Amino acid sequence: MAESVRQPPKKRDWSWRSQAFRGLVYQALALAAVIAIGWWLASNTAANMQARGIKSGFDFLLQPAGFDIGEPLFGYDSSHPYWQAFAVGVGNTLRVAILGIVLATLVGTLLGVGRFSRNALVRGFCYGYVELFRNVPVLVQLLMWYLLVTELLPDSTEPWQIGNVFLSKGGLTYPGPVWSAGFGWVVAGLALGALGVWFYRRWARAQFDATGRERSLFWVPLGIVIAGGVLGWFAGGMPNEWKIPVKGEFAVEGGSALTPEFLAVLLGLVLYTAAFIAEVVRAGIQSVPRGQSEAAQALGLSRSQEMRQVLLPQALRVIIPPMTNQYLNLTKNSSLAVAIGYPDVVSISNTALNQTGRAVECIAIIMAVYLTTSLATSLFMNWYNARAAIKER
Amino acid sequence: MLSSRTPKLAGLMAIAGLLAISTAHAGPVLDKIKKNGQVVCGVNTGLAGFSQADSAGNWSGLDVDVCKALAAAVLGDANKVKWVPLNAQQRFAALQSGEIDVLSRNTTFTLTRDASLGLHMTAVTYYDGQGFMVPVKSKIKDAKQLKGQTVCVQSGTTTEKNLTDFSKANNLGIKPVVFEKVEAATGAYFAGRCVAYTTDASGLASVRNKEAKNPDEHVILPQLISKEPLGPMVRRGDDEWFAIVKWVIYGLVEAEEYGITQENVDQMKSSQDPVVQRILGVSEDTGKLLGLDRDWMGRAIKAVGNYGEIFERNVGPKSPLKLPRGANNLWNKGGLMYAPPVR
């Protein structure tokens, strides 16, 4: 039957009667209109700005920025050019976005799984959490966390102290390693460990296929990576110099620090996004028919095997696409950090905009940064989605 | 640019130019203001003493009074102003785009702003300088004691750059915590997030007075780290309006110098002093040259008083801000307020 409805070979028909041809013409016209409008907007803006004597162009990026940034990820100084200031802002945005995505996924998954708990208290908590956190605007939550952090914590002059870790309005201060060449070896060791894990996994899979015996896929790889790091540390001459924070006259000095702004942004974004992720995870798990789990048990798979080999791979197909949205939302919501003084790319851009007056350029940079990070996230998630999707052959 | 396009248009403009000699040419902004019956004035969203709205929506402050004086001079009614509250980032774009006619929003005059924004600085209405506010209990007496400390600051202002310059010149390594809104910046300072808060000294006085739970717990360090001449800005391309804004401000300063006050402005019209006669348009019609009428300055003074009265009422020693007159006194009383003569 299927064979008989085969379509006749396509013939190109360049007449107005051809739907395909008409479609092409319409598309070309629409594209031309979009380009024309874009060109009109751009040239109009440029002409108007020139007529009013407003300087424009991206040349300012090479001039010294002249302002300090509270949390530089790398050695930034006010004499460095604007593009480096922007780089610091982008770094801060990525730092909070990447950490936020990882933590929100963890918290959200726990909450989502918690919705199926046999314990009514856990179930109720997860339900209440989701309803509370996803229904309060994220900006309000950020402000609330920042207010809590700055109001409730003790003054920087009398911080809470546990060992060498201090917590105060000045943030979380902890001993950090002093960076030296030896740490390059540690990084190399960790990379080597990761490579080892890849080989181990291949070997474990081959073993499983050959003998049916399962090897640990968590503890052994973890051990390999740690061992790699430790070996690297020995190879690097065992650098063990630490920056120990001490109580200063006005604030805790030295050591490594997480500022209250960073903590509040991270906390706010993670807890807000986790509520959505919990719902995504719940939907994913509920989408797997009950029969699947029963079949797994009938085959004699253990609880964890059932979860890992049967339920999760099927749930992931439902989870990944909406999860991508949540990751994108988290990244874009991080731009609200400007409200509580976290120096992300929007904050840096605001300052640059005011110093130079290049409004159009600075806004364009912000847009380009978020577009790039969002597209990169989408690209990665689409790749992962394709991997997890049902292989139709 | 226009003349190169069509010779005919150039000819018309030349004729218009000749006519303008007899009847002072009014610029497009003034025409628009007269047509709409209101001056559109960009002000701060809330800075006690400079521009703030009360619960009934009435604006007051030094920056606000400048706009009221303009409206009185141009339209004859100080209330014919449309207030557009702007934050630091919005202000220049609002003026560039023509949304507002004049930006009277404690804006510092700098070379970059004057030369690259397509805007004109008019005249200084307040000589300020950037300072620091610290809690009394921190026992900081000198800004140089802030080595390695956090300082709260609002973004989009000259303040950030001044702070960096000061920190660098004195090798202090001050860590700025930058907020978009002034309320957020001051809120964080009062919550104890930063050791100090920095902005223009007048702004510090305003914040201490308005937002501190107990103003006596905070002290403004005497040291100023920058020059901050504040004043209104107008868009480039309308020299007539530029001149009007400038001369209304000069007129207010000159009025103080010659003792014309809100109270006595009517009596002063019969003064024998030729300078007073010129300011009030009794002898010479100074308003005509600006495209205004004879009584332009008289109405402005009647509406808001002279510069000294504006200062006293909004920020002076008797106001809640209690700022000393200092550099903002008249030039012949040890200050910097020196208006070119209205003649």
Side-chain angles (χ1 to χ4, degrees):
Chain A
M1 193 59 188
E3 238 92 320
S4 66
V5 290
R6 204 189 216 170
Q7 294 200 338
K10 269 189 191 157
K11 213 172 72 192
R12 286 220 179 261
D13 181 5
W14 296 108
S15 81
W16 195 244
R17 285 194 307 274
S18 153
Q19 201 186 359
F21 176 68
R22 284 204 307 272
L24 271 179
V25 170
Y26 291 145
Q27 283 173 35
L29 283 177
L31 187 69
V34 168
I35 292 176
I37 291 173
W39 181 82
W40 179 74
L41 282 175
S43 64
N44 228 357
T45 310
N48 277 335
M49 281 166 68
Q50 203 174 12
R52 287 177 190 168
I54 302 169
K55 303 269 186 299
S56 59
F58 286 95
D59 52 325
F60 75 96
L61 286 174
L62 297 176
Q63 289 162 9
F67 59 92
D68 272 330
I69 301 173
E71 298 179 59
L73 271 184
F74 53 90
Y76 166 83
D77 179 68
S78 59
S79 60
H80 291 192
Y82 272 107
W83 71 265
Q84 286 196 13
F86 275 102
V88 170
V90 172
N92 277 334
T93 295
L94 290 182
R95 180 162 72 127
V96 82
I98 292 171
L99 259 174
I101 284 173
V102 171
L103 291 176
T105 309
L106 284 176
V107 177
T109 308
L110 286 178
L111 287 165
V113 172
R115 292 290 293 268
F116 297 102
S117 170
R118 291 191 190 115
N119 185 330
L121 208 60
V122 173
R123 218 164 48 230
F125 170 80
C126 293
Y127 174 71
Y129 176 94
V130 168
E131 293 305 329
L132 178 67
F133 277 86
R134 74 169 176 178
N135 289 317
V136 176
V138 64
L139 179 61
V140 176
Q141 291 192 33
L142 288 182
L143 290 173
M144 181 196 75
W145 288 118
Y146 190 59
L147 203 72
L148 284 183
V149 167
T150 49
E151 290 283 349
L152 292 187
L153 292 179
D155 273 341
S156 332
T157 42
E158 42 217 29
W160 287 334
Q161 183 176 5
I162 306 164
N164 280 324
V165 179
F166 296 87
L167 187 63
S168 72
K169 281 172 183 167
L172 184 71
T173 318
Y174 52 90
V178 177
W179 183 260
S180 62
F183 281 103
W185 286 95
V186 176
V187 174
L190 289 173
L192 216 64
L195 196 69
V197 168
W198 187 72
F199 280 112
Y200 170 80
R201 278 188 60 137
R202 275 183 54 150
W203 175 80
R205 168 131 302 174
Q207 281 282 303
F208 178 73
D209 287 345
T211 65
R213 213 177 134 216
E214 254 208 314
R215 305 275 166 180
S216 163
L217 281 177
F218 179 73
W219 294 110
V220 175
L222 189 70
I224 294 176
V225 172
I226 290 177
V230 171
L231 278 177
W233 184 60
F234 278 120
M238 295 188 280
N240 66 345
E241 211 183 315
W242 291 79
K243 290 183 282 186
I244 308 287
V246 285
K247 235 165 80 170
E249 196 181 344
F250 308 120
V252 182
E253 281 157 13
S256 300
L258 295 177
T259 62
E261 291 78 32
F262 176 76
L263 292 173
V265 172
L266 188 65
L267 203 64
L269 288 179
V270 164
L271 295 183
Y272 176 75
T273 315
F276 289 91
I277 290 180
E279 286 296 276
V280 170
V281 169
R282 182 174 72 94
I285 293 175
Q286 276 184 336
S287 75
V288 181
R290 217 180 138 61
Q292 294 287 321
S293 144
E294 286 163 2
Q297 281 160 26
L299 283 172
L301 298 185
S302 72
R303 267 309 274 184
S304 85
Q305 278 178 323
E306 178 194 331
M307 194 45 128
R308 263 199 352 258
Q309 311 282 358
V310 180
L311 295 184
L312 264 182
Q314 300 187 70
L316 273 182
R317 288 175 196 145
V318 173
I319 290 175
I320 293 171
M323 200 74 123
T324 312
N325 287 342
Q326 294 311 324
Y327 291 170
L328 296 181
N329 281 347
L330 189 144
T331 312
K332 287 180 286 181
N333 282 341
S334 73
S335 62
L336 294 171
V338 67
I340 56 173
Y342 180 66
D344 73 335
V345 68
V346 177
S347 165
I348 304 290
S349 221
N350 272 346
T351 302
L353 188 162
N354 226 272
Q355 310 272 8
T356 61
R358 308 282 168 95
V360 176
E361 290 82 351
C362 287
I363 302 292
I365 290 176
I366 300 183
M367 281 164 62
V369 165
Y370 282 104
L371 194 64
T372 313
T373 49
S374 292
L375 286 179
T377 314
S378 292
L379 219 61
F380 173 78
M381 290 303 283
N382 287 347
W383 166 81
Y384 189 58
N385 189 33
R387 250 179 67 113
I390 301 174
K391 303 277 186 296
E392 290 183 33
R393 297 189 178 92
Chain B
M1 214 176 100
L2 277 172
S3 58
S4 67
R5 209 178 279 164
T6 56
K8 210 190 257 177
L9 189 64
L12 280 173
M13 286 183 73
I15 296 168
L18 283 172
L19 289 172
I21 294 173
S22 51
T23 63
H25 175 62
V29 176
L30 184 60
D31 288 343
K32 195 194 95 186
I33 289 171
K34 281 183 170 161
K35 188 171 140 261
N36 296 342
Q38 62 179 9
V39 177
V40 186
C41 176
V43 290
N44 197 311
T45 49
L47 183 66
F50 288 83
S51 67
Q52 64 176 355
D54 65 13
S55 55
N58 298 316
W59 288 84
S60 64
L62 192 142
D63 285 344
V64 164
D65 281 348
V66 170
C67 282
K68 284 187 176 167
L70 275 171
V74 174
L75 298 168
D77 184 349
N79 293 319
K80 286 189 173 162
V81 185
K82 185 182 169 197
W83 305 104
V84 180
L86 298 165
N87 70 26
Q89 281 105 35
Q90 296 162 336
R91 55 182 165 181
F92 300 126
L95 188 56
Q96 286 165 345
S97 67
E99 191 190 338
I100 56 174
D101 300 323
V102 56
L103 177 74
S104 183
R105 191 203 170 282
N106 55 302
T107 302
T108 306
F109 289 13
T110 65
L111 183 146
T112 315
R113 286 176 176 177
D114 201 18
S116 73
L117 296 177
L119 306 176
H120 270 311
M121 311 281 182
T122 55
V124 177
T125 54
Y126 190 94
Y127 288 98
D128 213 340
Q130 186 174 339
F132 291 94
M133 174 161 65
V134 293
V136 171
K137 67 174 187 217
S138 74
K139 298 198 182 70
I140 292 175
K141 293 274 180 287
D142 186 328
K144 287 184 182 139
Q145 283 173 275
L146 291 165
K147 198 174 174 88
Q149 299 309 323
T150 50
V151 174
C152 284
V153 57
Q154 189 200 1
S155 79
T157 59
T158 46
T159 327
E160 259 180 289
K161 215 163 181 166
N162 293 332
L163 178 65
T164 299
D165 288 351
F166 174 72
S167 164
K168 200 157 185 178
N170 296 292
N171 198 20
L172 297 179
I174 289 174
K175 286 181 238 147
V177 185
V178 182
F179 295 86
E180 192 184 18
K181 288 210 165 75
V182 64
E183 294 83 5
T186 55
Y189 164 73
F190 287 121
R193 166 64 183 105
C194 304
V195 178
Y197 173 68
T198 184
T199 190
D200 296 348
S202 62
L204 291 176
S206 165
V207 163
R208 182 172 78 153
N209 176 265
K210 195 173 79 170
E211 308 200 8
K213 265 178 223 133
N214 181 1
D216 296 335
E217 284 174 6
H218 300 273
V219 59
I220 295 167
L221 300 180
Q223 183 181 16
L224 299 182
I225 62 167
S226 71
K227 289 185 290 186
E228 306 286 337
L230 311 179
M233 294 181 88
V234 294
R235 198 162 44 254
R236 283 193 184 204
D238 188 338
D239 297 348
E240 287 74 22
W241 176 238
F242 175 46
I244 291 171
V245 176
K246 230 172 16 180
W247 283 98
V248 166
I249 296 167
Y250 290 151
L252 293 172
V253 176
E254 185 114 313
E256 184 188 5
E257 195 177 332
Y258 288 91
I260 311 173
T261 64
Q262 198 168 10
E263 200 124 300
N264 71 10
V265 61
D266 288 330
Q267 291 96 287
M268 286 301 252
K269 279 185 184 151
S270 48
S271 159
Q272 294 308 306
D273 187 335
V275 179
V276 173
Q277 284 183 346
R278 267 197 296 270
I279 295 172
L280 297 177
V282 179
S283 54
E284 278 172 43
D285 188 353
T286 46
K288 193 174 175 185
L289 302 173
L290 292 168
L292 304 173
D293 63 4
R294 249 187 140 85
D295 194 28
W296 64 290
M297 212 51 234
R299 283 195 308 267
I301 298 167
K302 185 134 191 153
V304 293
N306 62 38
Y307 178 77
E309 290 176 284
I310 294 174
F311 189 98
E312 293 301 322
R313 180 170 63 242
N314 295 305
V315 296
K318 282 182 205 131
S319 76
L321 259 64
K322 298 188 181 57
L323 288 167
R325 192 76 194 265
N328 293 296
N329 217 329
L330 289 177
W331 62 282
N332 52 10
K333 289 180 184 162
L336 294 171
M337 279 296 165
Y338 182 103
V342 179
R343 68 167 179 247

